[in-house]
Amino acid sequence: MQETHASAPPPPSPFSPLRIGPLTLRNRFIKAGANEGMTPVGLPTQALVKHHRDLAAGGIGMTTVAYAAVAADGLTFSHQMHMHAGIVPHLRVLTDAVHREGAAACLQITHAGSFTMMRHGGSRTPPSASSGLNAFGMLYGVYFQRAMSEVDMVRVAAEFAEAARLARESGFDAVEIHMGHGYLLNQFLSPLSNRRHDRFGGSVEQRSRFPLHVLHQVKDAVGAQLAVTCKLSVSDGAAGGNSAEDSAVTARLLEDAGADLLTLSGGRNVESPWVLFGSPMPTAQMKAAAPHLFA
Ligand SMILES: Cc1cc2nc3c(=O)[nH]c(=O)nc-3n(C[C@H](O)[C@H](O)[C@H](O)COP(=O)(O)O)c2cc1C
């Protein structure tokens, strides 16, 4: 008997080129952003350059440099990078090295919101979707967080756009807007941290509104030249948090707003870090590698 249903086409080979927005990758292997810990004074080191150059030399299509805060007050830890004009020539060394090996380079741009151990400008109340106790900051004397006003949102969205422009100047081929894992944009997306009663809280569509505004600003700034991707936690992995059904709504909104690719992850850095890391924390190895963090 003749088959009446057309069978689904086979998935493309992971070794075939991939078009994302204005960018074409040589294959579909993309190194996910994972905080390298190689920016001790906030600038890329030779070790960071080597790390990404080696990945490129290994043949991947694109490598993602993790966690560049869009402004100094978007840092979680003092040893991370934040975007400013002075960092451009340092990042250029990294992107040139990656390009020489035939791969593309993506910069993850993000803002910690209340997930910070720092008192930025002496402030003890970092911005978030909602005000209240700051579960992470509490360990470091940053006891409370404040709800962002719409003026704050316009300013922070402009910082994302400026960070993307600096990424372009630094030679990156793509930027990844971090909307997962409990950082600022995820603090808006997740009902675990968004208790707002205005048009930025409530339904999943309303909770997606500020992250979507950020995407629009970044697309307007660099979308013609760079691929603009978003990292999203599919599930918060914690009771009362987003489910895959909620995140599917956000994913469609991001796609409609022009996201060129979604990097799907899961979990929140306070409520469900084991989901974020994809495995139990290797605490023994972490203590051996960075004993000062456990003193
Ligand atoms: C040590 C470590 C640091 C990480 N840092 C980041 C980071 O800076 N940004 C990020 O988006 N994800 C970070 N991740 C998460 C990984 O990119 C990845 O999402 C995670 O290992 C789980 O894989 P999955 O997302 O496919 O489930 C980190 C993971 C590890 C193990």
Side-chain angles (χ1 to χ4, degrees), residues 239-261:
N242 275 327
S243 65
E245 287 72 26
D246 301 315
S247 299
V249 174
T250 302
R252 278 193 208 98
L253 292 169
L254 293 170
E255 185 183 8
D256 291 346
D260 295 314
L261 185 85

Side-chain angles (χ1 to χ4, degrees), residues 40-270:
V41 295
L43 294 173
T45 52
Q46 288 182 357
L48 187 70
V49 173
K50 177 174 173 1
H51 177 69
H52 289 283
R53 188 196 56 220
D54 287 353
L55 285 158
I60 59 172
M62 182 161 75
T63 187
T64 308
V65 177
Y67 211 101
V70 296
D73 69 356
L75 293 169
T76 297
F77 308 109
S78 60
H79 61 261
Q80 291 169 317
M81 287 190 279
H82 72 88
M83 296 307 283
H84 56 97
I87 204 170
V88 168
H90 299 271
L91 286 172
R92 177 61 81 164
V93 175
L94 189 155
T95 56
D96 283 350
V98 168
H99 290 153
R100 274 197 295 274
E101 301 296 344
C106 175
L107 184 68
Q108 181 176 68
I109 53 174
T110 182
H111 193 297
S114 58
F115 187 72
T116 184
M117 60 187 292
M118 298 172 70
R119 293 177 200 165
H120 297 293
S123 166
R124 286 169 181 254
T125 52
S128 188
S130 299
S131 59
L133 289 174
N134 180 5
F136 176 74
M138 199 161 296
L139 301 170
Y140 308 98
V142 189
Y143 300 111
F144 297 101
Q145 59 193 45
R146 66 185 170 81
M148 285 172 72
S149 66
E150 293 200 23
V151 172
D152 291 328
M153 288 183 222
V154 169
R155 177 179 48 78
V156 171
E159 289 172 351
F160 269 91
E162 180 56 15
R165 281 189 209 97
L166 291 170
R168 184 182 59 201
E169 263 184 60
S170 307
F172 283 95
D173 308 282
V175 286
E176 178 181 78
I177 307 172
H178 201 345
M179 300 187 176
H181 296 170
Y183 294 98
L184 178 65
L185 300 180
N186 187 256
Q187 289 160 26
F188 274 80
L189 286 176
S190 174
L192 291 171
S193 45
N194 185 337
R195 295 177 296 278
R196 299 178 75 103
H197 297 291
D198 62 3
R199 63 199 182 104
F200 296 92
S203 67
V204 62
E205 288 83 359
Q206 306 235 104
R207 298 197 308 275
S208 303
R209 193 184 299 274
F210 176 49
L212 279 164
H213 177 61
V214 169
L215 172 60
H216 282 299
Q217 295 301 108
V218 171
K219 284 285 291 185
D220 284 352
V222 300
Q225 300 93 23
L226 303 193
V228 178
T229 76
C230 300
K231 188 157 184 172
L232 193 61
S233 288
V234 172
S235 157
D236 284 339
N242 275 327
S243 65
E245 287 72 26
D246 301 315
S247 299
V249 174
T250 302
R252 278 193 208 98
L253 292 169
L254 293 170
E255 185 183 8
D256 291 346
D260 295 314
L261 185 85
L262 299 181
T263 308
L264 301 182
S265 186
R268 305 241 310 167
N269 36 26
V270 170

